[in-house]
Amino acid sequence: SLKRMSDSTEVLDWLVDAVEPIWQSTVCGDGDCNEPYEFPAYGRFGCRPDCGVAKDLAQVLLQIKADFRDDFASPLALQGAASWNLC
């Protein structure tokens, strides 16, 4: 049956009760490896206390080149606006 809520506090309480069990914050170090949010450690990434150390890793060397030539924009302007995030 439908329930009528009398004020905004009831709506907020219902929303918290509905959403909180779905989105849980995982804590590294609680003794439980909560995949996919926690994973075996490699380098500075992962959760070593709960998931251990990643095995069978391979080193990879990436060579990245950028070509900033463009018909409409200055290559120097494009280079200045570029940023890299390879993690």
Side-chain angles (χ1 to χ4, degrees), residues 44-67:
R44 63 183 179 96
F45 302 102
C47 180
R48 184 182 308 245
D50 295 346
C51 306
V53 177
K55 297 174 179 66
D56 301 321
L57 297 177
Q59 285 189 333
V60 176
L61 174 64
L62 295 177
Q63 222 175 26
I64 299 172
K65 296 181 181 182
D67 184 355

Side-chain angles (χ1 to χ4, degrees), residues 2-76:
L2 296 175
K3 177 186 175 191
R4 186 167 289 235
M5 297 182 186
S6 60
D7 61 21
S8 60
T9 304
E10 279 190 65
V11 175
L12 183 59
D13 290 343
W14 174 85
L15 188 58
V16 168
D17 290 343
V19 173
E20 198 170 61
I22 297 168
W23 285 298
Q24 296 180 2
S25 297
T26 59
V27 177
C28 183
D30 65 358
D32 188 20
C33 185
N34 296 304
E35 294 180 344
Y37 308 106
E38 294 179 330
F39 49 88
Y42 61 95
R44 63 183 179 96
F45 302 102
C47 180
R48 184 182 308 245
D50 295 346
C51 306
V53 177
K55 297 174 179 66
D56 301 321
L57 297 177
Q59 285 189 333
V60 176
L61 174 64
L62 295 177
Q63 222 175 26
I64 299 172
K65 296 181 181 182
D67 184 355
F68 291 99
R69 289 178 288 182
D70 187 78
D71 293 337
F72 302 105
S74 159
L76 290 176

